[in-house]
């Protein structure tokens, strides 16, 4: 069934990792896949551009259906293969509502994280300002505190309650990325507990970014967040 699926991906990319986790959860192993290098600019290759004209990864296709947005791909996989593997959308209306809320809130976390980690890469040297760096770091700190609070008050160990759901598929890669850049586990104990508790989940362990296994954590850009 998965042989008619193709995923072009980059190691460590939260959007790529989301789709990989979703495929594992839905027992869709055996799909066609190709690991590409961001450093070598392979995400701008003709192979990628033919599937994703934005020149970004992931590039995902099922049959002739192209879904390059990771959220779209995850929702599609759950809708098309809902009866296979683990169910990722809770039946309970309250948990389902929270799942969608947390899932899409994850986009804000991802953006604020990128604003801090990639500021020097995205902003030309002559346009950088200390005030912007400070503002971005404060925004990320406030965002992380929100997630720490959600997990402190939540009804279960997962982001939407008692069961692993699409909220976890979507947001866990971003949280793992924070710790890749040495976010303090002591400062955010609930977030750290959540992060560590899912490391051994088969779908996450199997799809763990290979470059993360090969190299130590990145410089401590988030140590003082």
């Amino acid at each position: 069934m998965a042989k008619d699926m193709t995923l072009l991906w980059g190691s460590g990319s939260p959007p790529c990792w989301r789709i990989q986790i979703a495929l594992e959860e839905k027992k869709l192993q055996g799909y066609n896949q190709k690991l590409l290098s961001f450093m070598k600019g392979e995400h701008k290759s003709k192979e990628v551009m033919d599937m994703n004209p934005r020149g970004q990864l992931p590039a995902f296709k099922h049959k002739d259906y192209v879904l390059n947005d990771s959220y779209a791909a995850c929702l599609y996989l759950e809708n098309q293969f809902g009866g296979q593997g683990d169910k990722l959308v809770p039946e309970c209306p309250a948990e389902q509502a929270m799942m969608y809320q947390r899932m899409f809130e994850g986009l804000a976390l991802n953006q604020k994280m990128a604003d801090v980690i990639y500021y020097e890469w995205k902003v030309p040297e002559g346009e950088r300002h200390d005030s912007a760096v400070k503002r971005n770091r404060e925004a990320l700190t406030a965002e992380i505190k929100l997630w720490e609070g959600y997990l402190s008050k939540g009804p279960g160990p997962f982001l939407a309650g008692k069961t692993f759901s699409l909220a976890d598929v979507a947001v866990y890669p971003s949280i793992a990325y924070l710790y890749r850049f040495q976010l303090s586990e002591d400062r955010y104990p609930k977030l750290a507990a959540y992060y560590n508790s899912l490391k051994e989940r088969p779908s996450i362990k199997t799809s763990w970014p290979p470059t993360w296994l090969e190299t130590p954590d990145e410089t401590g850009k988030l140590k003082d967040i």
Side-chain angles (χ1 to χ4, degrees):
M1 188 180 295
K3 291 180 180 178
D4 55 4
M5 297 180 182
T6 298
L7 175 66
L8 307 179
W9 60 287
S11 179
S13 158
C16 296
W17 197 5
R18 289 175 196 135
I19 298 178
Q20 292 174 296
I21 294 172
L23 287 164
E24 290 292 328
E25 289 288 336
K26 302 314 295 181
K27 306 301 181 188
L28 292 166
Q29 295 91 351
Y31 55 91
N32 302 297
Q33 59 171 303
K34 189 172 184 180
L35 172 59
L36 300 175
S37 169
F38 291 110
M39 295 297 291
K40 295 178 181 177
E42 291 176 346
H43 56 298
K44 300 296 183 182
S45 67
K46 183 179 184 302
E47 183 179 20
V48 174
M49 297 296 287
D50 285 347
M51 280 178 65
N52 189 347
R54 293 182 182 274
Q56 299 172 342
L57 296 176
F60 178 70
K61 182 166 70 172
H62 176 218
K63 299 179 180 177
D64 293 325
Y65 317 135
V66 176
L67 298 106
N68 295 319
D69 181 272
S70 61
Y71 272 50
C74 290
L75 287 164
Y76 172 83
L77 290 169
E78 176 60 21
N79 285 330
Q80 293 300 310
F81 303 98
Q84 183 170 322
D86 288 337
K87 186 172 179 60
L88 298 174
V89 176
E91 293 287 350
C92 169
E95 287 194 7
Q96 189 176 125
M98 185 177 288
M99 183 214 76
Y100 283 117
Q101 179 62 33
R102 295 291 179 263
M103 181 180 181
F104 284 91
E105 277 189 90
L107 294 171
L109 173 63
N110 208 65
Q111 183 59 56
K112 291 172 183 177
M113 176 178 70
D115 287 344
V116 171
I117 293 173
Y118 296 119
Y119 181 78
E120 292 177 3
W121 177 74
K122 291 194 300 183
V123 180
E125 187 173 358
E127 298 176 18
R128 297 173 195 162
H129 299 283
D130 290 344
S131 60
V133 172
K134 182 174 181 289
R135 184 169 60 250
N136 289 345
R137 295 181 75 81
E138 288 174 348
L140 178 58
T141 299
E143 183 71 24
I144 294 171
K145 286 179 178 178
L146 272 179
W147 291 91
E148 178 74 8
Y150 292 156
L151 287 164
S152 297
K153 302 170 187 174
F158 302 103
L159 292 179
K162 297 176 182 177
T163 58
F164 186 88
S165 72
L166 279 178
D168 303 288
V169 172
V171 181
Y172 183 84
S174 297
I175 291 174
Y177 207 78
L178 292 171
Y179 286 105
R180 172 73 176 167
F181 282 84
Q182 299 183 21
L183 183 71
S184 170
E185 293 196 19
D186 292 336
R187 195 171 294 124
Y188 304 102
K190 294 295 184 182
L191 201 64
Y194 169 78
Y195 163 66
N196 287 313
S197 71
L198 287 179
K199 277 183 176 180
E200 296 300 315
R201 187 176 179 88
S203 63
I204 289 172
K205 186 175 183 178
T206 299
S207 59
W208 197 266
T211 52
W212 292 12
L213 296 173
E214 297 163 4
T215 60
D217 290 348
E218 299 288 348
T219 55
K221 281 195 174 183
L222 304 182
K223 247 181 190 177
D224 59 346
I225 289 289

